[in-house]
Amino acid sequence: MSNNTMTADAAQAAAPAAAASATGTTFAIILSLSFCHLLNDMMQSLVPALYPILKESHGLSFGQIGFITLAFQCTASMLQPVVGLYTDKRPQPYSLMFGMGFTLVGLLLMSQAHSYAMILLASALIGMGSSVFHPEASRVARMAAGGRYGLAQSLFQVGGNIGSAAGPLLAAFIVVPHGQQSIVWFSAAALVAMLVLFQVGAWYKARRTPQKPVVRSKPAAAAGGVATLSRRRVALAVTILVALLFSKNVYSASLGSYFTLYLMAKFSVDVQTAQLYLFAFLVGIVAGTVVGGLVGDKVGRIPVMWFSILGALPFALMLPHANLFWTGVLAVTVAMIMASAFSAILVYAQDLMPGRVGLVAGMFFGFSFGLGGLGAAALGQLADIAGIDAVYQATPFLLLLGLLTAFLPRQPGAPKQPG
């Protein structure tokens, strides 16, 4: 046997191992991003959990509390598209680590804040950390996806869902008993995230390619079987996706923000029982997010959107008329169905705007955060005027906005062909 033959055989034997190693590495990157998303959203959720303590210890009015929310949400939501647009043109591999540094400084400052101005600054810095993290982490998750974009985004999103759920619980057991200064303990989570994101940044730097908007000529599009969409159709599609996100997030806010109060008012359950029902609802969100990503990779994004928005409607309509047991079952069912939409919407939008991964992620994570907050505030006003039951009777009709899915172009959501 010649040396060349032996070399070829060795190369063929090594190929599967190398492929397995590459797959393992990218999966580790996605899980690392999901873990950091958990830590990021956990730390973000500490800000509203602090409001009762800040109000009492600093003598703040409700209006001043509102401005803290404004400072936090403006940096956390409004800056995300700006960061995404900038990094689409100039990728910054270590921006994730430095963004988490803003959160670290914000937490340290918040733990020692003795003036209202310092509280506002700390809130803004914590929000800035989120504005850098979401668009850039979403870009890296897509890079590591190996074509399974829905699964990658859903795994990434699950970390955030768990973190958002864990934050208030940690605040209840740590911050409330020990006061404002105990916030400093959570800076350890920011340090851990920075260490992990440094490794992710090194992986990103080794594989980055300049992200430029893709402009397809008509012949190239025809040859590749890709539909060329005009800017007007792309803008219309993005508007529809925002409307779908609005219907999903406002209804989710009605469950996430007021579910325990609804159960206590309607069924006279205690706080602990209501919290268990809320926990089951949050578990439903996690399960639905993962399943939605897996299914979207196989059948396409648009079928998932149809099912996620309109499939939840009959269960949402039944929920206000159910007894306690079936209220729990219906809430978990609605959570699972609706949560499947987010990764499908995000990946579909990224397919619509190739080369704009950061901008799309920044827009949709920012809108998701902002719309949920606005929806919760509006629903609170409705509950004050008409009662908490009215919230659960009115909000399901928002899901009818899912009919707009019919106007989305098919190509970006088409399932990947095997081969």
Side-chain angles (χ1 to χ4, degrees):
M1 182 179 292
S2 66
N3 290 337
N4 288 341
T5 303
M6 293 175 64
T7 302
D9 291 341
Q12 290 177 357
S21 176
T23 301
T25 300
T26 54
F27 191 65
I29 291 295
I30 294 170
L31 291 181
S32 296
L33 290 169
S34 181
F35 173 67
C36 291
H37 198 184
L38 184 156
L39 296 179
N40 178 81
D41 284 22
M42 178 196 73
M43 292 181 287
Q44 300 292 314
S45 66
L46 291 174
V47 175
L50 271 175
Y51 288 169
I53 295 174
L54 295 175
K55 189 176 189 303
E56 182 179 352
S57 60
H58 296 277
L60 303 181
S61 66
F62 285 107
Q64 288 174 311
I65 293 291
F67 276 109
I68 296 174
T69 302
L70 180 64
F72 173 63
Q73 289 196 349
C74 278
T75 54
S77 299
M78 303 303 180
L79 287 181
Q80 285 195 41
V82 177
V83 172
L85 183 62
Y86 178 82
T87 55
D88 280 336
K89 297 179 179 179
R90 299 175 180 84
Q92 305 293 325
Y94 294 102
S95 60
L96 284 167
M97 182 187 69
F98 287 110
M100 194 61 68
F102 285 117
T103 301
L104 173 62
V105 173
L107 290 172
L108 293 173
L109 194 61
M110 182 68 80
S111 70
Q112 304 298 319
H114 298 298
S115 68
Y116 181 61
M118 192 176 292
I119 292 172
L120 289 176
L121 176 60
S123 299
L125 286 171
I126 294 172
M128 285 178 67
S130 185
S131 70
V132 175
F133 177 80
H134 284 111
E136 276 297 88
S138 184
R139 180 203 312 283
V140 180
R142 187 175 176 90
M143 287 176 61
R148 302 179 72 183
Y149 302 123
L151 176 61
Q153 288 297 333
S154 62
L155 289 175
F156 171 63
Q157 184 62 21
V158 159
N161 292 339
I162 297 173
S164 296
L169 292 176
L170 291 173
F173 288 105
I174 297 176
V175 179
V176 173
H178 298 94
Q180 180 181 342
Q181 292 187 345
S182 63
I183 287 289
V184 73
W185 299 345
F186 290 92
S187 62
L191 286 172
V192 169
M194 290 177 72
L195 290 174
V196 175
L197 291 173
F198 178 80
Q199 300 298 322
V200 172
W203 182 90
Y204 180 12
K205 182 178 181 180
R207 290 159 181 79
R208 68 172 178 170
T209 54
Q211 298 290 320
K212 295 181 180 179
V214 177
V215 180
R216 298 186 181 95
S217 64
K218 291 184 179 179
V226 177
T228 302
L229 301 178
S230 65
R231 288 188 177 183
R232 182 177 178 181
R233 290 196 69 193
V234 170
L236 175 63
V238 170
T239 302
I240 291 172
L241 294 176
V242 170
L244 298 182
L245 204 60
F246 172 80
S247 67
K248 168 188 175 299
N249 283 348
V250 173
Y251 186 78
S252 294
S254 73
L255 286 173
S257 299
Y258 302 107
F259 193 42
T260 54
L261 299 175
Y262 171 75
L263 294 174
M264 292 168 66
K266 184 166 184 176
F267 301 107
S268 301
V269 299
D270 57 26
V271 176
Q272 288 80 7
T273 302
Q275 290 287 354
L276 288 174
Y277 275 82
L278 178 60
F279 176 74
F281 167 75
L282 296 172
V283 170
I285 290 178
V286 172
T289 302
V290 175
V291 172
L294 284 167
V295 173
D297 284 335
K298 294 183 179 298
V299 306
R301 317 299 168 197
I302 288 181
V304 172
M305 292 183 214
W306 275 116
F307 175 71
S308 179
I309 302 296
L310 292 182
L313 180 59
F315 301 106
L317 289 171
M318 288 188 286
L319 190 146
H321 309 288
N323 60 24
L324 178 60
F325 173 79
W326 285 107
T327 294
V329 172
L330 290 170
V332 172
T333 304
V334 170
M336 291 181 65
I337 295 174
M338 292 190 63
S340 64
F342 187 83
S343 61
I345 290 173
L346 182 61
V347 174
Y348 182 95
Q350 290 172 343
D351 289 342
L352 271 177
M353 302 171 66
R356 297 292 192 187
V357 175
L359 174 62
V360 170
M363 285 174 57
F364 282 86
F365 276 109
F367 280 133
S368 178
F369 190 87
L371 291 176
L374 290 173
L379 293 174
Q381 294 295 319
L382 176 61
D384 285 338
I385 296 170
I388 192 69
D389 279 347
V391 170
Y392 290 92
Q393 291 172 1
T395 49
F397 294 99
L398 284 170
L399 302 182
L400 290 173
L401 287 172
L403 293 171
L404 293 173
T405 304
F407 297 98
L408 289 173
R410 284 279 164 188
Q411 181 59 38
K416 187 180 177 182
Q417 298 298 321

